[in-house]
Amino acid sequence: MSGTQLASLVELCERSCSTFAARPLFGVKAGESWSWLTYGDFHAQVAAARGGLSALGVRAGDTVAIVADNRVEWAAACYATYGRGAAYVPMYQAQHPSEWQFILRDCGARVVLAATDGAVARLRAMRDELPALEHVVALDAPAERSDSWGALLAAGRARPVPPVFPAPVDTAGLIYTSGTTGMPKGVILSHANITSNINAIHEVFTFSPDDRSLAFLPWAHSFGQTCELHGLVSMGCSIAVNDDVKHLIPNLAAVQPTVLFAVPRIFNRIYDGVRAQIASRPAPIQWLFARGVDAAIRRGRGESPGVGDQVLLALADRLIFSTVRARFGGRLRYAVSGSAALAREVGELIDALGITVYEGYGLTETSPIATANHPGARKLGSVGRAIPHVRIEIDASVTGGGPDGEVIVHGPNVMQGYHERPEETAAALRPDGALRTGDLGRLDEEGYLWITGRIKEQYKLENGKYVVPAAIEEKLKLSPFIANIFVYGDNRPHNVALIVPDPDALRRWAEERRHTLGDLAQDPRVVELLERELEAHSGDIKGFERVKAFAVVSEDFTTENGLLTPSLKLKRRKVMERYGDDLARLY
């Protein structure tokens, strides 16, 4: 992109597809091989989809929705919708159909595209309850079917229409929040909101057309959509579309990305995997790894390595770190983390391996980036400084004073409001247009933001001390034996927890000891192991915050069982509904 600022996402698509026409854009896996679609080919698909939407009657001010995981058609429909002056509303395949129905009614979508036959059937069954919905388009249906994506493209090629270039203030889309505390709210984001984020990225962190990502974060979430899809397309980069998170590691090796956009849950698994791999190696390798990581961390903190450290680092990199990087394709240079706080230990280890970690912070309501670490301005453990044209304020009135307070965001990235929720919009947006985030944080003397928790998740123990559970949970999940954990103690004498053990780590542990695993919740050896793990990973946790008792549960917290949001955050209210009695018994 040239120095000219983008004014709309239509301009972004048109400019990049013209500038980088011959370069690969999207990689798609077929069997074990990958095929690539160029920017020029993608541009033709966007134009056909735009004409097809026009043939369905979609015009400026309308809404087009989609129920699909990441795929080329998702992106083509996205830019085609923008090119009709309409708003795009993404939903997740993993969401419950009742949420699809709620969102479709709330946004008044005229057209919805759906990935699977099952989703198409469910959406058609809702038609009587959705008076605005006129068309359900089946992405995977044969092209000869009149309701298929192929038929829509054919109609668009027969009757092409030029793109509409929306005004910056026009609505680009509604992104519905995860609904951790209730039904989702539609966050209204204008073209100016989203392009302000992309323009800011270009000022502080520009990738080259030779850069490539492996996209597995959902584009239905603002982090994946703005930072990865729109951001990388604006720079002429390539994006391979991951088929299944279970295939992430082999796909990384095949695609050889240079940048990975992920949430802490994924980086935690990488951290656990590396540590487990090293623990199985001979003692000299373990020693070299530990010394090499320690030297790399000190170097990352600005300390100048001595001759001995330089030799250790070079040896550790050649014998160990390079082999770990090879598992991720061998070209991975950047790891970009968002959506939740990344444990410092995790960031430091990945950084030490030679993969530079950049952590940022934001919300759907800020399009999403508000702060970010970037080249020349990076402090591990923080979420960086405010991006260009954004200002961060800390409101200490919610905490009664001190350095911590509610994070307030000022800037062109702040949403237009919640769709048809005037009271909730008024509660979130101050009269000066700044956003109350609901997050607790502090600014250090250099302007770096440190997030300490969510105001709504914070609770008070019987002794009057405040606890922010998410930060404790992230620390304890660094145990390779803890896949997930829920910490609770609202108005109680101390904290207790639900622990979901990692089944693979437990199986290996049991095999080494020739121990037959029975009911995990009742197995005294498993309970003792988890007690030791809690103790080992509670060193940085304050005494009153420590978990004093726990229950073991075998079912993980997932999107499928409704205990995680699609962006992998705990639905705390849902966990309490399901396991409240088990937690109460721990007291």
Side-chain angles (χ1 to χ4, degrees):
M1 189 179 82
S2 69
T4 306
Q5 298 274 289
L6 290 165
S8 76
L9 295 166
V10 176
E11 183 184 350
L12 182 158
C13 180
E14 294 298 305
R15 188 187 298 182
S16 287
C17 288
S18 172
T19 304
F20 307 108
R23 295 195 63 84
L25 171 50
F26 289 118
V28 179
K29 189 178 180 183
E32 295 304 314
S33 61
W34 291 79
S35 60
W36 290 86
L37 191 76
T38 67
Y39 275 82
D41 293 334
F42 177 68
H43 191 225
Q45 189 170 148
V46 171
R50 183 174 63 241
L53 291 176
S54 174
L56 293 182
V58 174
R59 57 187 182 272
D62 285 340
T63 301
V64 174
I66 187 168
V67 176
D69 293 337
N70 296 354
R71 54 193 292 161
V72 173
E73 297 90 341
W74 194 107
C78 176
Y79 290 116
T81 299
Y82 299 149
R84 289 300 298 150
Y88 198 60
V89 178
M91 293 173 282
Y92 302 89
Q93 284 182 211
Q95 274 178 295
H96 194 277
S98 63
E99 289 197 13
W100 299 342
Q101 183 171 336
F102 173 86
I103 291 169
L104 289 168
R105 184 188 300 113
D106 191 67
C107 73
R110 290 186 66 185
V111 177
V112 61
L113 302 98
T116 66
D117 291 341
V120 169
R122 288 185 178 91
L123 291 165
R124 290 215 171 104
M126 300 173 188
R127 288 282 295 275
D128 291 344
E129 306 297 324
L130 301 168
L133 184 62
E134 298 173 4
H135 303 282
V136 179
V137 178
L139 294 179
D140 286 338
E144 55 269 20
R145 258 177 52 180
S146 61
D147 64 342
S148 70
W149 173 254
L152 181 138
L153 295 182
R157 284 191 286 265
R159 297 180 58 186
V161 296
V164 172
F165 285 85
V169 296
D170 288 346
T171 298
L174 278 66
I175 298 182
Y176 280 77
T177 56
S178 302
T180 56
T181 56
M183 291 306 288
K185 300 188 292 284
V187 177
I188 306 170
L189 296 178
S190 68
H191 284 269
N193 287 148
I194 298 173
T195 56
S196 76
N197 249 212
I198 295 161
N199 291 330
I201 294 171
H202 279 261
E203 289 189 46
V204 298
F205 204 143
T206 302
F207 294 107
S208 81
D210 291 326
D211 280 307
R212 175 183 292 177
S213 77
L214 176 64
F216 66 94
L217 284 185
W219 296 335
H221 187 265
S222 56
F223 179 33
Q225 185 182 142
T226 297
C227 300
E228 185 162 33
L229 177 61
H230 299 320
L232 293 188
V233 168
S234 77
M235 299 179 194
C237 305
S238 302
I239 304 171
V241 182
N242 192 61
D243 57 340
D244 193 309
V245 73
K246 293 181 292 189
H247 304 150
L248 180 62
I249 298 300
N251 285 348
L252 284 168
V255 169
Q256 298 182 317
T258 60
V259 56
L260 181 66
F261 291 85
V263 294
R265 184 181 173 95
I266 299 299
F267 289 120
N268 289 350
R269 295 300 98 187
I270 292 173
Y271 173 91
D272 290 342
V274 169
R275 288 175 62 89
Q277 184 182 357
I278 296 302
S280 66
R281 304 289 292 277
I285 293 294
Q286 293 186 38
W287 177 87
L288 179 60
F289 177 81
R291 290 292 302 272
V293 168
D294 182 62
I297 289 172
R298 285 187 279 109
R299 182 182 61 184
R301 291 174 180 172
E303 299 178 26
S304 298
V307 175
D309 278 349
Q310 292 179 38
V311 171
L312 273 172
L313 270 171
L315 192 60
D317 189 76
R318 185 162 62 86
L319 295 179
I320 306 172
F321 299 168
S322 61
T323 62
V324 175
R325 291 196 300 271
R327 290 191 67 212
F328 308 138
R331 298 175 64 231
L332 191 58
R333 294 182 292 132
Y334 306 117
V336 181
S337 180
S339 186
L342 181 69
R344 181 166 185 153
E345 301 94 318
V346 176
E348 286 182 334
L349 176 64
I350 294 170
D351 210 65
L353 295 173
I355 303 165
T356 308
V357 175
Y358 292 102
E359 188 174 3
Y361 163 76
L363 305 89
T364 301
E365 290 87 341
T366 58
S367 306
I369 314 171
T371 70
N373 286 282
H374 54 82
R378 190 174 74 112
K379 190 179 286 189
L380 276 173
S382 81
V383 291
R385 293 169 170 163
I387 61 173
H389 317 296
V390 169
R391 180 170 66 86
I392 299 297
E393 171 193 344
I394 300 297
D395 178 7
S397 66
V398 299
T399 55
D404 286 19
E406 183 175 13
V407 179
I408 310 293
V409 180
H410 302 252
N413 56 335
V414 173
M415 68 171 179
Q416 305 302 296
Y418 295 115
H419 185 249
E420 297 187 351
R421 303 280 187 96
E423 292 182 2
E424 290 176 77
T425 298
L429 294 179
R430 298 196 320 194
D432 62 358
L435 176 77
R436 290 193 169 279
T437 66
D439 287 316
L440 292 168
R442 60 182 172 83
L443 288 170
D444 68 17
E445 64 283 353
E446 296 178 284
Y448 288 87
L449 179 64
W450 302 75
I451 297 297
T452 52
R454 286 285 294 168
I455 292 172
K456 288 181 179 177
E457 292 178 359
Q458 170 180 262
Y459 56 78
K460 193 184 291 186
L461 296 171
E462 276 184 2
N463 60 13
K465 293 184 182 291
Y466 282 99
V467 172
V468 180
I472 301 169
E473 289 160 355
E474 288 304 314
K475 288 279 186 187
L476 298 177
K477 280 192 291 186
L478 294 183
S479 163
F481 295 101
I482 298 176
N484 238 319
I485 185 166
F486 175 83
V487 172
Y488 170 78
D490 188 14
N491 204 31
R492 297 287 195 166
H494 54 258
N495 280 333
V496 296
L498 298 169
I499 296 179
V500 181
D502 185 295
D504 293 332
L506 264 188
R507 189 185 65 253
R508 289 192 298 269
W509 169 84
E511 287 173 355
E512 289 170 3
R513 287 155 183 78
R514 297 183 179 180
H515 174 56
T516 302
L517 290 173
D519 181 352
L520 299 183
Q522 306 297 325
D523 191 316
R525 295 194 196 182
V526 171
V527 172
E528 288 172 16
L529 170 66
L530 294 174
E531 285 173 348
R532 292 195 299 271
E533 289 297 303
L534 288 181
E535 181 64 28
H537 291 84
S538 295
D540 295 335
I541 298 173
K542 296 172 185 174
F544 69 86
E545 295 177 322
R546 294 192 174 195
V547 171
K548 304 296 185 185
F550 62 88
V552 179
V553 293
S554 56
E555 184 184 17
D556 198 0
F557 308 147
T558 66
T559 54
E560 288 75 17
N561 63 19
L563 300 183
L564 284 185
T565 70
S567 56
L568 306 182
K569 294 176 182 173
L570 270 176
K571 289 188 175 182
R572 310 193 80 85
R573 181 171 56 83
K574 293 290 186 183
V575 176
M576 283 301 301
E577 287 175 7
R578 183 172 301 189
Y579 292 109
D581 291 343
D582 299 273
L583 290 163
R585 281 193 288 272
L586 293 172
Y587 293 100

